[in-house]
Amino acid sequence: MNTALEKIQRQIQWNRLIAVVEEQAQTMIRTAFSTTVREAGDLSAGVFDLEGRMMAQAVTGTPGHVNSMAEAVGHFLKKFPAHTMKPGDHYITNDPWLATGHLHDLTVVSPAFRNGKIVGLFANTAHIIDIGGLGMGPEGRSVFEEGLYIPIVKCFEAGQPNETFFDFIRAGSRTPVELEGDIYSLCACNDAGAKRLVEMMDEYRMESLDDLAAFIFDSSMSATKAEIAKLPQGVVWRGEIRSDGYEAPVTLHAAMRAEGGEIVVDFAGTSGLSTRGINVPPAYCRAYACFGLKCVIAPEIPNNWASLLPFRMEIPEGCILNAPRPYPVSVRHVIGQLIPDLMMGCLSQAVPDRVNAEGSSALWNPPLRGGSQVSGQEAEVEDFEIITFNSGGTGARPTKDGLDGIAFPSGVRTMPVEATENVAPVIFWRKELRPDSAGPGRTRGGFGQIMEIGAKKDAEFAVNAIFDRVANPPKGRFGGGEGAGGWVGLDDANGTVLRTKGFQVIPKGRHLVLKLPGGGGMGDPKQRDPALVARDVADGLVSPAEAKRIYGQG
C-alpha cells in the first residue's frame, strides 16, 4: 500500500466489513428459535479468508465462541478444502475439540461466491437448548453421554437440505423443532453475510479479499506487538485461582511472560482432569486466555487471526484445561470462564492500573427440566427443557465500581424472565439484586442477584446445577474485599442447601433459590467516597450495619 488514499480506502473497507459481519449476527438473532440466541446473544459470527484466517468478527458474540470459532474454520477446510465447495453448501459440527468446547454449540461454515468464484468464508456459532443425551450438566462420565455428536458434515448441499442429517437431528433432541429451526437460522445468517460481502466487493471493484486481509493482518499484528513491547520483558508473573470443582476443588495456575513480541502463558501446576463434565478442551482455554490478555494489553485492537497470534498458551497434558477425547466437557464454561480473572491476576503485577478485581465470572445459567421425564405418570406439567442465562456481579475496576448482574467475561445478555416463562411452564417468583454481596473497596464490586424459581402448579421439576464461586468467592485486589459467595437451595423453612453441581429434583410445592456471587472490591474500603457509600445505603444495596463495619460510615 503506497499512498495515503489507498490506506484510507482500506480503512473504509474495514469499517464496511464490520457492518457485514454485524448484519450476519443480527440475522441470526432475528431468526433463531432458541432463547439462548435471540434473548441472551450466546453466539458468534465472522468472516474468514480462504486460508481459514478470521478477518473480522461481529461485535455481537461471546469470547468463548468467537476465539474458538477462529480456530474451527481451519478444521473445516482440512475436511472440505475451499476449492471443493459449491454455492449453497453449508457445513456443520458440534465437535468440542474442533469447535467451541461442548456439544451444545453448533458451528456452521459457508462459502461466499462472486461471479462463480469462491472469495471468502463465513462462520458462526450458537448455543442451542438441547442436543439430547443427559442434557447440559456435569453428570456425564464421557462426551458420548452428553448428547448427539455431529462430525464435520454438510447440512446443506447446493442449497438443498441433507434430509438424512436432519432426520438424525430431529430424532436425537428433546426440542427437535427448535434445533432444526436454529440450524436453518445459522445457515441463513451466513447467507446474509455472503450477500453483503459480494455487494461490498462489487462496489469497491474487489476481485478478492487478499489485499484487504493483508492490510487487516499487518496492521493488527504490528499494533499488538507494539503493545506487548510496552510491558516489562522477560519477567515471570504468576497467578492462581480456585474453583469449587465437582469431586474436589480445582486450582488453576498460570505463569506469564512477555518476550520476543509474544505473551507466553504456561498453565503448569493446574489441577488434573475431572471424571465429570467440567473439563475444558484446549481451544476453549486458549479462547478465554486470549480474551483476558486482550482486555488488558490491547483492548482497542480488532480481534482477528493476526491480533490473536502473539498470545501463546502452553497447556500441559493431563490438566483440566487440556481435556482429551472422550472426556466429558458439557459445562466447560464453569472452569473456562475463570481464566480471564487468572490472566488479570498475573497482569496485576505488571500493569496494576489496568486490571479488574475478580468477578462472579462463570455464568449462573440453570438448565431446568420437568414433566414426565422428571415425574413420570405423576407429572402435572408438560415436558419442558429450558435454560436461562444470569450473572452475578463483576469485579471492581480501577476507577469505577463493578457492574451488577452483568456477565463478564462471556458478555451474554441476561435473559428476561418473561421470555423464559413464555416458552416453559416455570415462574420466576423473585429476581432482584442481592444486598451486601458486593466486595468492599475504594471501588466496590458489582452486586449479585437473588432468584427464586418454581414450576407452574407448584409442580415437581429438576435443575441440572452448574454453579461455581460458592466455596471460593471472588477475591478483591490491592486491599479490596471478597465478594459474597453464591448459594443454592430451597425456599423451605430450613433453607435446605443443594449441591452446586449435578441433577437434583425440586420437590412439589418448593422453589429453587439462587443467590449469585458478588464481585470483588479494589483498594482500601476506608478510602471509598462517603457519598457513594451513602448512595448504596439509600438504595438498599448496603445495610447500615455493613456500611459502618466495613467503611466506617453511617
Side-chain angles (χ1 to χ4, degrees):
M1 182 150 315
N2 298 319
T3 69
L5 182 60
E6 287 175 325
K7 291 182 180 179
I8 292 171
Q9 185 178 52
R10 291 284 183 254
Q11 186 64 45
I12 292 171
Q13 291 169 351
W14 158 252
N15 291 336
R16 180 71 171 273
L17 197 63
I18 292 296
V20 168
V21 291
E22 188 60 23
E23 181 170 346
Q24 176 195 6
Q26 292 300 323
T27 299
M28 188 197 307
I29 291 172
R30 290 194 300 270
T31 59
F33 280 55
S34 289
T35 51
T36 52
V37 178
R38 70 172 188 263
E39 301 292 345
D42 195 12
L43 59 95
S44 66
V47 61
F48 295 71
D49 70 5
L50 296 180
E51 295 182 34
R53 300 177 297 183
M54 186 171 71
M55 297 174 60
Q57 64 154 97
V59 175
T60 304
T62 69
H65 282 166
V66 171
N67 291 344
S68 298
M69 179 186 72
E71 294 188 28
V73 174
H75 297 301
F76 278 81
L77 290 175
K78 288 179 181 177
K79 184 167 184 182
F80 295 101
H83 70 271
T84 67
M85 296 180 175
K86 306 296 182 186
D89 286 351
H90 295 278
Y91 307 86
I92 190 169
T93 191
N94 69 346
D95 186 319
W97 287 270
L98 301 183
T100 59
H102 70 171
L103 298 176
H104 280 77
D105 291 339
L106 303 181
T107 298
V108 170
V109 173
S110 312
F113 283 81
R114 177 175 180 269
N115 297 330
K117 176 186 175 184
I118 185 171
V119 291
L121 300 164
F122 282 86
N124 63 64
T125 299
H127 181 102
I128 50 94
I129 290 175
D130 184 70
I131 196 70
L134 291 173
M136 188 171 170
E139 301 284 34
R141 292 184 179 271
S142 80
V143 73
F144 302 115
E145 298 180 42
E146 293 181 327
L148 184 63
Y149 197 124
I150 306 168
I152 297 175
V153 296
K154 287 184 183 179
C155 55
F156 281 81
E157 184 167 8
Q160 297 301 310
N162 180 341
E163 294 296 350
T164 302
F165 167 79
F166 281 103
D167 283 344
F168 276 106
I169 285 293
R170 286 188 290 264
S173 173
R174 299 175 183 87
T175 57
V177 173
E178 290 85 349
L179 179 55
E180 183 174 11
D182 282 333
I183 293 172
Y184 272 80
S185 170
L186 300 184
C187 296
C189 90
N190 280 357
D191 283 342
K195 178 182 178 182
R196 294 303 187 203
L197 178 67
V198 171
E199 290 174 358
M200 167 187 160
M201 295 179 71
D202 287 343
E203 182 176 338
Y204 291 102
R205 299 176 183 176
M206 300 168 65
E207 294 302 318
S208 78
L209 295 176
D210 292 349
D211 290 342
L212 179 57
F215 168 73
I216 293 169
F217 294 153
D218 290 346
S219 302
S220 300
M221 177 76 78
S222 59
T224 302
K225 288 190 172 186
E227 293 300 319
I228 292 173
K230 296 176 183 177
L231 299 173
Q233 301 293 297
V235 181
V236 177
W237 308 298
R238 300 184 186 277
E240 177 182 303
I241 196 166
R242 286 174 67 84
S243 158
D244 301 348
Y246 187 102
E247 315 97 315
V250 170
T251 302
L252 307 181
H253 284 280
M256 181 188 302
R257 65 188 186 276
E259 60 182 20
E262 290 185 328
I263 294 286
V264 181
V265 182
D266 184 353
F267 291 97
T270 291
S271 294
L273 295 159
S274 170
T275 61
R276 301 298 183 124
I278 61 173
N279 299 293
V280 183
Y284 194 79
C285 172
R286 287 190 288 267
Y288 270 112
C290 287
F291 176 69
L293 293 170
K294 276 189 63 64
C295 282
V296 177
I297 297 170
E300 302 300 325
I301 299 169
N303 195 60
N304 55 53
W305 170 81
S307 63
L308 293 172
L309 202 59
F311 303 130
R312 183 160 59 85
M313 310 300 147
E314 297 176 351
I315 318 172
E317 292 184 7
C319 85
I320 200 167
L321 299 177
N322 192 0
R325 301 173 191 268
Y327 269 77
V329 292
S330 180
V331 292
R332 83 292 191 235
H333 70 281
V334 169
I335 300 294
Q337 289 178 0
L338 298 176
I339 295 175
D341 277 345
L342 179 62
M343 298 297 96
M344 290 193 187
C346 294
L347 289 168
S348 67
Q349 301 156 50
V351 282
D353 58 334
R354 291 161 67 177
V355 301
N356 298 343
E358 291 182 11
S360 57
S361 302
L363 290 166
W364 278 51
N365 44 350
L368 307 174
R369 182 182 299 176
S372 62
Q373 54 187 338
V374 174
S375 307
Q377 293 181 332
E378 304 301 318
E380 297 179 85
V381 294
E382 67 269 24
D383 286 0
F384 71 89
E385 185 90 13
I386 194 69
I387 187 169
T388 176
F389 285 14
N390 308 277
S391 303
T394 72
R397 295 166 286 179
T399 60
K400 297 180 181 180
D401 293 340
L403 301 172
D404 309 328
I406 295 295
F408 179 85
S410 75
V412 300
R413 297 188 296 271
T414 294
M415 291 171 60
V417 298
E418 297 85 355
T420 305
E421 292 175 338
N422 187 53
V423 296
V426 297
I427 299 174
F428 288 78
W429 293 97
R430 276 201 297 168
K431 193 173 193 294
E432 59 195 44
L433 292 180
R434 181 185 176 190
D436 291 330
S437 61
R442 185 188 68 253
T443 54
R444 61 154 172 79
F447 290 94
Q449 302 182 60
I450 300 175
M451 300 175 61
E452 183 176 337
I453 309 169
K456 288 184 177 179
K457 303 179 183 179
D458 263 344
E460 180 181 66
F461 69 103
V463 61
N464 212 348
I466 49 176
F467 311 122
D468 211 275
R469 295 295 215 185
V470 173
N472 294 276
K475 295 185 181 301
R477 298 200 200 280
F478 312 128
E482 289 185 348
W487 188 87
V488 185
L490 300 180
D491 68 332
D492 56 15
N494 296 323
T496 299
V497 176
L498 299 180
R499 290 181 290 125
T500 58
K501 294 180 179 68
F503 189 87
Q504 296 157 93
V505 174
I506 311 302
K508 178 176 173 59
R510 295 269 64 92
H511 299 162
L512 170 67
V513 177
L514 304 176
K515 297 180 182 180
L516 281 61
M522 184 171 287
D524 183 354
K526 295 295 192 289
Q527 296 179 4
R528 183 162 176 78
D529 184 343
L532 297 179
V533 177
R535 180 199 65 186
D536 286 343
V537 172
D539 289 343
L541 296 173
V542 174
S543 64
E546 285 297 282
K548 185 173 183 178
R549 183 181 71 84
I550 296 172
Y551 296 105
Q553 302 178 37

